[in-house]
Amino acid sequence: MKKILITGATGQIGSDLTLALRKKYGGENVIAAGHTRQPDKELAESGPCCNLDVRDPVALQTMVAEKRIDTIFHLASLLSAVAENKPQLAWDININGLINVLETARLQNCTVFFPSSIGAFGPLTPAENTPQDTIQHPDTMYGITKVSGELLCDYYQRRFGVDTRGVRYPGLISWKTLPGGGTTDYAVHIFHAAVKDKHYDCFLKPETRLDMMYMPDAVRAAIELMEADSRRLIHRNGFNVSAMSFSPQDIATEIKKFIPDFSISYTIDPVRQAIAESWPRHMDDSAARNEWGWRPEYDLPAMVKDMLEKLSGRF
Ligand code: SER
């Protein structure tokens, strides 16, 4: 990785991943491409930023050629709840955007990172210790685009020799940038509400347990997979990666250890509740551990402590 392009760089993963890559590979060598959100001060000042709509293949190919990009982290995507509201738009961005990235990579010899998700699984998938290779069959548009994305990336690898790699992220928790309309967003919003109002009204039921990960681990997973020796990789895309598993009531209990008068109430959103119930509670990530040495660092208590410290400083 010498010259890197990140699509969706102003999103929840992108804003953290861009800074981590710039630290490692030099600010000038990591181009942050956003579309709907403006870059914040730190992103704007630490290296080049640009506006790029991944649905525009000419703009994408021109950018990659002009900047001599060799690696693309393709993060631009609609999340699950937004995608359920706008399924045609989700297909357009998540699938046509990805095809444009893969075609650009094929023509200009780039390596591609594609984040899949727990959303790539569905109600027929075993929810506990979800195997690496199992029934997927999602029933959300988001999930359909993520399964198709995994398959497309594998196809470009097999058919054209494009070096594609990717993980299936669980719900991601971070303090820097808010997620853009997913089902696991409650696990981020709860911290903002706890620090500001000492109260959070949750849209998922108290016992809805899901697979989750803290952003520093998610960023490290992406970088370590992209730096892994390709000869060790049996899988390529859609590696299960897991770090912790909790429900709204579990995380509320943990937050109360730091903010004793914190309280939580529940007003259930049936759309997001149904999505959550179709997703894994905990994925088996042994393939990632064996093939490229994946290991998470943050469990629930360590994540909660760090989130509250970071957010208390901010507000
Ligand atoms: N965090 C995502 C969502 O909830 C899942 O990948 O949509």
Side-chain angles (χ1 to χ4, degrees), residues 116-144:
S116 186
S117 155
I118 46 170
F121 295 112
L124 301 176
T125 308
E128 291 291 349
N129 285 325
T130 307
Q132 174 66 41
D133 302 304
T134 184
I135 300 171
Q136 297 197 245
H137 223 105
D139 57 7
T140 63
M141 179 52 92
Y142 178 70
I144 291 166

Side-chain angles (χ1 to χ4, degrees), residues 160-192:
F160 302 118
V162 177
D163 187 351
T164 58
R165 305 180 186 198
V167 299
R168 293 184 187 127
Y169 280 127
L172 296 179
I173 300 138
S174 65
W175 56 272
K176 210 167 269 166
T177 306
L178 285 171
T183 301
T184 57
D185 293 16
Y186 90 84
V188 177
H189 294 153
I190 195 170
F191 286 100
H192 289 257

Side-chain angles (χ1 to χ4, degrees), residues 89-294:
L89 182 66
W91 180 268
D92 197 18
I93 293 172
N94 295 12
I95 293 297
N96 294 334
L98 175 61
I99 277 281
N100 290 340
V101 167
L102 290 170
E103 268 299 286
T104 305
R106 177 177 76 83
L107 295 168
Q108 302 193 44
N109 206 15
C110 302
T111 303
V112 175
F113 175 83
F114 171 71
S116 186
S117 155
I118 46 170
F121 295 112
L124 301 176
T125 308
E128 291 291 349
N129 285 325
T130 307
Q132 174 66 41
D133 302 304
T134 184
I135 300 171
Q136 297 197 245
H137 223 105
D139 57 7
T140 63
M141 179 52 92
Y142 178 70
I144 291 166
T145 66
K146 287 299 180 186
V147 176
S148 308
E150 291 179 10
L151 294 172
L152 280 171
C153 288
D154 278 341
Y155 180 77
Y156 267 72
Q157 154 84 33
R158 212 173 38 244
R159 176 81 167 77
F160 302 118
V162 177
D163 187 351
T164 58
R165 305 180 186 198
V167 299
R168 293 184 187 127
Y169 280 127
L172 296 179
I173 300 138
S174 65
W175 56 272
K176 210 167 269 166
T177 306
L178 285 171
T183 301
T184 57
D185 293 16
Y186 90 84
V188 177
H189 294 153
I190 195 170
F191 286 100
H192 289 257
V195 170
K196 280 198 239 162
D197 309 324
K198 295 187 174 20
H199 179 78
Y200 179 62
D201 190 41
C202 185
F203 56 77
L204 292 184
K205 291 182 187 168
E207 65 285 355
T208 314
R209 199 156 59 77
L210 284 167
D211 210 332
M212 298 278 186
M213 182 180 287
Y214 195 31
M215 190 57 82
D217 278 336
V219 162
R220 206 166 40 74
I223 298 175
E224 286 179 7
L225 174 58
M226 291 299 272
E227 288 177 342
D229 180 350
S230 69
R231 287 167 303 185
R232 283 185 64 194
L233 301 180
I234 300 162
H235 298 83
R236 280 277 168 175
N237 295 286
F239 275 104
N240 288 357
V241 286
S242 183
M244 60 187 92
S245 173
F246 60 78
S247 64
Q249 68 193 3
D250 297 334
I251 192 171
T253 304
E254 205 57 41
I255 289 173
K256 268 189 202 183
K257 291 181 187 165
F258 295 87
I259 307 173
D261 49 350
F262 172 70
S263 63
I264 184 164
S265 55
Y266 298 92
T267 308
I268 308 312
D269 168 10
V271 173
R272 284 179 287 187
Q273 182 64 36
I275 295 176
E277 284 173 14
S278 76
W279 285 0
R281 295 190 281 275
H282 172 250
M283 290 182 283
D284 172 5
D285 59 3
S286 48
R289 287 173 187 259
N290 295 335
E291 291 176 41
W292 48 278
W294 159 247

